[in-house]
Structures are given as structure tokens and as C-alpha cells.
């Protein structure tokens, strides 16, 4: 019972304030961390038989955190099913309208990362499954305007020049494997757990 209680409090602390100590990772870290009364909260939850509600309330409730959590679960599903590993070959830069055999794989990577919707508008003669034109008579698939727009959103998120061109830096992000994406999402959620649940509205968030 003692071991189970200790584990329950460790889990509660991880959700409520993060499991890592930010000051041990960043010497200049000065933001205050949440400090919930976990022992009292757990005791009350046990008495009222509301353990799931207790844990659910400890994590950040912001839309950003929820989207990170959903993305993490989606990438974990893909990794467990053997998907989500990038294998797009290097080569010449790809611009909107270019024909290239790598385009279907690029479309798939954008769709897996949530930047390209398979239900989005696709030009006539294209395959909605990939959002990329398959061409005729063996012609390589074409990089569509829809894919260019999706690519620019991804480039903005990763601090890459938003030119809609598949160059070396962009290709590196597209080839980012599921395990690496899961790690990045987990780190982002951990950092959010370090922060106060009601930060000042005058704050500046830096991506």
C-alpha cells in the first residue's frame, strides 16, 4: 500500500508540475512552477472515489496541451502499426507544379503530420488519397498548390523559410521518424507542465 501510494503521488506530481527539474536543465530558468497539494488532493479523491477526475485536473487544460497530447497518441498509434517512418529520397528541390516520383511520399508525410487533409480540394485528375497528381502514361506525380500551402504551414512550425519548396532542410523534417516526433511532443508537454496553469495574459509565447 505504501509503494502504491508513492507511485500514485509520483504520477500526480508528473502531471501537476512535471517530472523533471527545469533548473537542473537550464541554469537561467526562473519561471515559478505549479505547487499543488497532492497529498490532500489524493486523499480527497480517495474519499470521494474520484481518482480519474483528480488526475485529469492536474495536467494543463489549455487547447495547446490537448492538441499536443492528441498528436502524441496519434504518432504512437502510427509507430505501433509500423507507419510514420520517413524514407523520402534526397534529390533536386521540388516546387509547386513540378513532377517528381517522390511527391506521393511527401503528400503522405504531410498528411500523417496533420498538415494536409485527404478530404481537401484536389485538382482534377488527382488522387485524393495522396493529395498529389499521379499523372498519365507513367508521368511522375506533380506537387500541387494544396501541398505547397500545407508545406508552408509545416515550414513555419519548424522555423524553416516559408517558400513552399521541398529543399534539404524541409526534407529532413518530412523524414523525421515517428519515434523522434513522439519525443519532441513529449518534451513540449513536459515543458507546459512546468508552467503555471493561469499565466498572465500579457505574456509572450515563443515557438
Amino acid at each position: 500500500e505504501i509503494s502504491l501510494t508513492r507511485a500514485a503521488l509520483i504520477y500526480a506530481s508528473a502531471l501537476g508540475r512535471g517530472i523533471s527539474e527545469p533548473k537542473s536543465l537550464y541554469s537561467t530558468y526562473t519561471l515559478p512552477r505549479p505547487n499543488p497539494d497532492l497529498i490532500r488532493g489524493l486523499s480527497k479523491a480517495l474519499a470521494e472515489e474520484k481518482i480519474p477526475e483528480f488526475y485529469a485536473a492536474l495536467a494543463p487544460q489549455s487547447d495547446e496541451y490537448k492538441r499536443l497530447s492528441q498528436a502524441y497518441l496519434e504518432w504512437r498509434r502510427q509507430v505501433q502499426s509500423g507507419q510514420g517512418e520517413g524514407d523520402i529520397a534526397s534529390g533536386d528541390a521540388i516546387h509547386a507544379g513540378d513532377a517528381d516520383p517522390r511527391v506521393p511520399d511527401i503528400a503522405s508525410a504531410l498528411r500523417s503530420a496533420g498538415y494536409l487533409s485527404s478530404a481537401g480540394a484536389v485538382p482534377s485528375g488527382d488522387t485524393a488519397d495522396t493529395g498529389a497528381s499521379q499523372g498519365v502514361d507513367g508521368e511522375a506525380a506533380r506537387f500541387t498548390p494544396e501541398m505547397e500551402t500545407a508545406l508552408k504551414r509545416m515550414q513555419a512550425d519548424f522555423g524553416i523559410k516559408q517558400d513552399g519548396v521541398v529543399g534539404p532542410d524541409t526534407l529532413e523534417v518530412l523524414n523525421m521518424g515517428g519515434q523522434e516526433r513522439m519525443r519532441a511532443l513529449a518534451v513540449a508537454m513536459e515543458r507546459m507542465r512546468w508552467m503555471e496553469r493561469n499565466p498572465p495574459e500579457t505574456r509572450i509565447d515563443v515557438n
Side-chain angles (χ1 to χ4, degrees), residues 9 12 16-17 34-44 54 58:
L9 289 172
R17 58 196 312 268
N35 190 29
D37 189 339
L38 299 177
I39 295 178
R40 180 179 180 182
L42 180 59
S43 298
K44 182 179 179 181
F54 165 66
L58 288 171

Side-chain angles (χ1 to χ4, degrees), residues 17-34 190-191 193-195:
R17 58 196 312 268
I19 199 166
S20 304
E21 172 53 62
K23 291 183 179 179
S24 68
L25 301 173
Y26 309 102
S27 59
T28 58
Y29 195 92
T30 59
L31 295 177
R33 293 176 72 187
E190 170 68 358
R191 287 172 173 165
R193 289 191 287 263
W194 294 343
M195 302 178 68

